[in-house]
Amino acid sequence: MSRTRLVALDVDGTLMSYDGVISTDVRTAVTALVDAGVHVVLATGRSVHSAVVVAHDLGLTHGWAVCSNGAVTARLDPEVEGGWAVARSVTFDAGPALRAIAMEIPDALFAVEDLGVGFLVSAPFPPGEMSGRVTVVPFDELTSAPATRVVIRAPQSTPEEFHEIVERVGLHEVSYAVGWSAWLDLTPGGVSKASALEEVRRDVGVEPYETLAVGDGENDVEMLRWAACGVAMGHATDVVRAAADEVTGAIEDDGVVEVLRRVLR
């Protein structure tokens, strides 16, 4: 870890507890890494408008943030309006996927990322689940424009049922991640946190062996495999643990803190 120059960090369940709290120890460790010249890159499923809020809250005002599971990369710059700008984005035609899922789950809720703003949704989501400006639009409007990220929510379903539906309808042209609840994220095919981080790594001139990543979800699997040292949080599933080089403590133990302190040492 003494050679680590780029640290990629998932947000929810890694840096931040599930009730939205970032501890003082996490903040201190992140600040110390930045002061030591390490590139700290948030790599999250959150949309850019939400991810940048977390970055600024942590004191990250320069550098990069990988958002929407790799479909959007933002450049942090205090001299730009709002403190950030979209550097790269990848889109896909969400129409076929949305229509296929709608046939399987007619009462599902659908959302398409409105880049940098919020979401266009088919109907209101449960309170607190969508960030930014949320606008209800006809279903046909959701299917008509290229998308960086699509969210499908079915409160009466389970993640296991989502997996079965995705396999059954054959969404081969998009990448997907099923959350801990009945929540399905779709992103452009071949796009992941890892693919976006590889571009960031080249941008900042860091060697592959100088990278480290920490995460807890299935959308972190590619990232953990990409990094020279991939660390899974202690509460991660077996699938995520198997992708990592090591496992640290759980979110309730601030497991990421010890990893970051080791980078400094």
Side-chain angles (χ1 to χ4, degrees):
M1 286 194 182
S2 61
R3 296 179 175 178
T4 299
R5 294 180 54 220
L6 188 157
V7 174
L9 300 170
D10 172 52
V11 173
D12 299 280
T14 299
L15 291 177
M16 180 185 289
S17 67
Y18 292 113
D19 54 359
V21 176
I22 300 177
S23 74
T24 300
D25 285 345
V26 168
R27 294 178 185 277
T28 300
V30 169
T31 299
L33 282 178
V34 173
D35 290 345
V38 176
H39 299 280
V40 177
V41 181
L42 299 188
T44 175
R46 289 176 175 238
S47 297
V48 61
H49 63 269
S50 175
V52 170
V53 171
V54 178
H56 288 170
D57 182 46
L58 284 165
L60 301 174
T61 57
H62 296 80
W64 304 87
V66 168
C67 315
S68 300
N69 289 319
V72 178
T73 300
R75 179 173 59 86
L76 304 176
D77 184 345
E79 296 186 2
V80 176
E81 183 179 356
W84 63 276
V86 173
R88 288 183 288 266
S89 64
V90 185
T91 62
F92 72 107
D93 178 6
L98 288 172
R99 287 188 287 269
I101 297 295
M103 291 183 65
E104 295 284 342
I105 316 176
D107 59 347
L109 304 174
F110 300 91
V112 173
E113 182 175 42
D114 189 3
L115 186 55
V117 177
F119 290 91
L120 305 177
V121 301
S122 60
F125 274 59
E129 290 195 349
M130 290 280 104
S131 61
R133 188 174 70 198
V134 179
T135 305
V136 178
V137 300
F139 182 78
D140 287 345
E141 186 172 335
L142 293 181
T143 64
S144 63
T148 50
R149 177 188 176 202
V150 169
V151 174
I152 303 170
R153 181 77 160 94
Q156 306 305 317
S157 299
T158 66
E160 292 74 22
E161 289 171 333
F162 262 148
H163 272 299
E164 293 174 2
I165 291 169
V166 168
E167 293 298 330
R168 184 162 65 246
V169 301
L171 297 181
H172 303 301
E173 73 279 12
V174 297
S175 301
Y176 63 91
V178 178
W180 59 271
S181 62
W183 178 290
L184 176 64
D185 261 19
L186 301 177
T187 50
V191 170
S192 68
K193 293 183 181 183
S195 64
L197 284 167
E198 177 61 16
E199 293 187 299
V200 170
R201 180 192 68 77
R202 296 180 182 183
D203 286 336
V204 300
V206 169
E207 296 295 333
Y209 64 82
E210 297 175 314
T211 58
L212 177 143
V214 189
D216 74 309
E218 292 192 13
N219 60 338
D220 295 317
V221 167
E222 294 91 344
M223 175 177 77
L224 298 180
R225 291 173 177 161
W226 164 84
C229 180
V231 183
M233 295 292 288
H235 58 277
T237 64
D238 290 342
V239 171
V240 180
R241 287 167 171 254
D245 298 293
E246 60 180 85
V247 178
T248 188
I251 183 64
E252 58 265 26
D253 304 317
D254 266 353
V256 69
V257 172
E258 177 56 28
V259 179
L260 302 185
R261 288 174 177 169
R262 285 164 53 196
V263 172
L264 288 167
R265 291 199 298 265

